Each structure stands twice: as C-alpha cells, then as structure tokens.
Amino acid sequence: MTEVTTDPYSGLQLVELSHVWGHGVPSMPGDSDVRMVRSVKHGQHGVMAHKITTVMHTGTHMNAPLHLIQKGGDLASIAPDRLFGNGAILDVPKKPWEVITADDLENASPGVKPGDIVVIVTGWHHKYSDALEYWGESPGLSKEAAAWLVKMDAKLVAMDTAQIDHPLATSLGPHRGGPLMNRLVAEYKKATGLDPKVEHPEWNVAHKTLLAAGIPTVEQVGGDVDVLKGKRATLAATPWKFENGDACPVRLVAITDSSGACRIESGN
C-alpha cells in the first residue's frame, strides 16, 4: 500500500523514501547481518527494549564524508541545512550494469537546480533483497556524473541502488580486498563482453568525488519513491548526530503540495 500521508492542517503530503529496517535486511557481501534481540520483554518485564549489533551501512543509510575521505567530516558535523531543502527526484531508469552518466542527469526530468537535494531513481529499489542480482548487477554513477553533481552544488545526493558507484568499481569487484563476490567479474564479462578493469579502473571514484566535496550521500532509497519520480519536492533526512560516525540508518521523507507545487518558503 502506498504510504502518502496528508497533513490535515497544511494539506502538504509526506511520502516515505526509506526501506523498512530491521532483522534480516540485506547486508553488504562480507558484512555481518543485523542481529537483534529483545533484551527486555513485555511478558516478563512489562516493557520492551532491543539490543542491536549492526554494520551502519544497512538499509536506507547516510554516508558522511569520513566514510571514504580520510579526515573528512563525520555525521555530527553535517550542517542541518544539508538535511532539509527543495530538490529533484530524477527518473533515470537503468538496466543491469549500466552506468548513470552526466548527460543522464542533465537531461532527466524535472531538472536539477543549483543547491538541490538530488534523488536518483533507477528502478533498482524494486530488487531490494539479499540477492546476487541486487548487489552485483546494479547500475552505478560515473565519475563524470558525480563531478556534474558537484558542479551543480548538490547539497545531498541519494540513490535507490545498493551503492553509489557501479559494483565493478567497488570491492565487490576487482578492487581493494575484492572481489567480495567471487563470481561477479566472470559474470560481468560474460554478460557485457567488457573488461571491468578497463571500464571501471578507479575504486569508488564517484562516491569519493561527492564525499570529497562535502556532499553527504544516501544509498538504498526505497519506500514509495515511485510516486515522485520526475517531480520536485522538499526533502528531509534524519541521520544520527554521531561523532566520528561514517554512516548510519536514515529516514528520508519527501514533502509535496497536492497541486504539484513546492511551497516551503524561505522565511525572508
């Protein structure tokens, strides 16, 4: 069921852009699963509390510059104005292993304005699962596309894929400590006829380009994002104020007007 909530006072609509998080969510190959126990239970104590062990890069999550940039800013240092603002939800449909180019972003509706929050929707969120396909065959952002987003002064970049970069540009493929997915390189070569070391020679280059520019990223956007493809909205992200934190699960919500306008005023 589509979860679009209408505020009865303002008439503004709120749309969920996050996957449900909890036990059993997809975890990056090489990472442990989320582990949850009810350390205190209603039946025994009349109250409930969970104990959780997790990698922070699970589900819909935000990455601070510190994630890939040595001495980069942590989650606590991200300015609140980067977490709220007007933006574009770009409809950029992609097939397995395709690359998102700067031209794709520049030509996608509804168009990116300087200072926007940018959400890139490839359709990959429909494959969200613990599957070889979801992790290893996703499309990814090119270095040039990331540089274009930096040029547009994007305040935050979010994608519906498992990672910002093409999987063959990450450690899932033939990079640092990889391949974490042993069959990935052979499958890529067989399906595309391309050499991953030639096509994707730099490790996490798109993600590093964004984070080096101080642009936080959100990976694994989901929820009801299809409702807003090709539209503008006001977006709000709520990460932890985590000192020395490189990443954390995040709630991402879009706010729209039923008329299709974007009417969060500047306050001036």
Side-chain angles (χ1 to χ4, degrees), residues 183-235:
R183 290 175 285 177
L184 181 56
V185 172
E187 291 293 330
Y188 176 77
K189 288 181 176 179
K190 180 180 178 182
T192 67
L194 301 172
D195 183 343
K197 292 184 178 180
V198 173
E199 301 298 321
H200 307 284
E202 297 181 80
W203 177 71
N204 278 315
V205 63
H207 207 177
K208 289 176 70 176
T209 298
L210 293 170
L211 295 178
I215 302 172
T217 59
V218 175
E219 294 170 315
Q220 303 190 49
V221 168
D224 297 301
V225 70
D226 284 338
V227 172
L228 295 177
K229 287 189 302 185
K231 299 179 181 179
R232 293 190 64 78
T234 299
L235 296 118

Side-chain angles (χ1 to χ4, degrees), residues 13 20 34 51 54 58 68 86 93 109-110 118 121 125 156 178 181 189 193 205 212 216 254 264-265:
Q13 298 173 327
V20 173
V34 174
K51 182 182 291 185
T54 183
T58 57
L68 286 169
N86 294 330
S109 295
V118 180
V121 184
H125 59 287
L156 186 154
M181 299 181 71
K189 288 181 176 179
V205 63
I264 303 296
E265 303 297 335

Side-chain angles (χ1 to χ4, degrees), residues 10-260:
S10 66
L12 294 175
Q13 298 173 327
L14 293 93
V15 181
E16 177 69 67
L17 304 185
S18 312
H19 287 293
V20 173
W21 189 87
H23 178 74
V25 299
S27 58
M28 182 85 167
D31 288 342
S32 299
D33 279 340
V34 174
R35 296 191 291 275
M36 306 176 70
V37 297
R38 291 174 296 164
S39 54
V40 180
K41 299 177 283 187
H42 280 295
Q44 185 175 359
H45 304 98
V47 65
M48 186 172 72
H50 276 83
K51 182 182 291 185
I52 300 171
T53 303
T54 183
V55 173
M56 291 299 180
H57 301 263
T58 57
T60 307
H61 63 278
M62 179 175 286
N63 304 287
L66 183 61
H67 173 44
L68 286 169
I69 305 300
Q70 188 173 1
K71 298 183 180 180
D74 60 9
L75 284 169
S77 70
I78 296 174
D81 66 336
R82 282 197 177 271
L83 307 177
F84 179 83
N86 294 330
I89 297 87
L90 303 182
D91 186 13
V92 188
K94 287 292 177 179
K95 297 176 182 177
W97 285 317
E98 288 189 335
V99 174
I100 302 161
T101 67
D103 285 344
D104 288 332
L105 300 182
E106 190 166 10
N107 295 325
S109 295
V112 175
K113 298 179 180 180
D116 267 349
I117 292 175
V118 180
V119 181
I120 301 166
V121 184
T122 67
W124 209 252
H125 59 287
H126 292 295
K127 301 179 184 292
Y128 182 68
S129 62
D130 179 31
L132 293 170
E133 180 185 24
Y134 177 69
W135 293 103
E137 298 181 14
S138 68
L141 205 63
S142 72
K143 180 180 181 179
E144 292 73 23
W148 185 85
L149 289 163
V150 172
K151 183 182 74 173
M152 294 300 294
D153 195 28
K155 63 166 58 177
L156 186 154
V157 172
M159 289 179 60
D160 70 339
T161 51
Q163 56 270 316
I164 296 293
D165 277 271
H166 192 284
L168 274 302
T170 73
S171 296
L172 295 176
H175 286 279
R176 301 186 181 190
L180 294 175
M181 299 181 71
N182 291 329
R183 290 175 285 177
L184 181 56
V185 172
E187 291 293 330
Y188 176 77
K189 288 181 176 179
K190 180 180 178 182
T192 67
L194 301 172
D195 183 343
K197 292 184 178 180
V198 173
E199 301 298 321
H200 307 284
E202 297 181 80
W203 177 71
N204 278 315
V205 63
H207 207 177
K208 289 176 70 176
T209 298
L210 293 170
L211 295 178
I215 302 172
T217 59
V218 175
E219 294 170 315
Q220 303 190 49
V221 168
D224 297 301
V225 70
D226 284 338
V227 172
L228 295 177
K229 287 189 302 185
K231 299 179 181 179
R232 293 190 64 78
T234 299
L235 296 118
T238 53
W240 304 356
K241 194 173 184 180
F242 180 6
E243 188 174 26
N244 298 320
D246 64 301
C248 72
V250 70
R251 195 79 179 263
L252 183 63
V253 175
I255 307 166
T256 64
D257 189 301
S258 58
S259 70

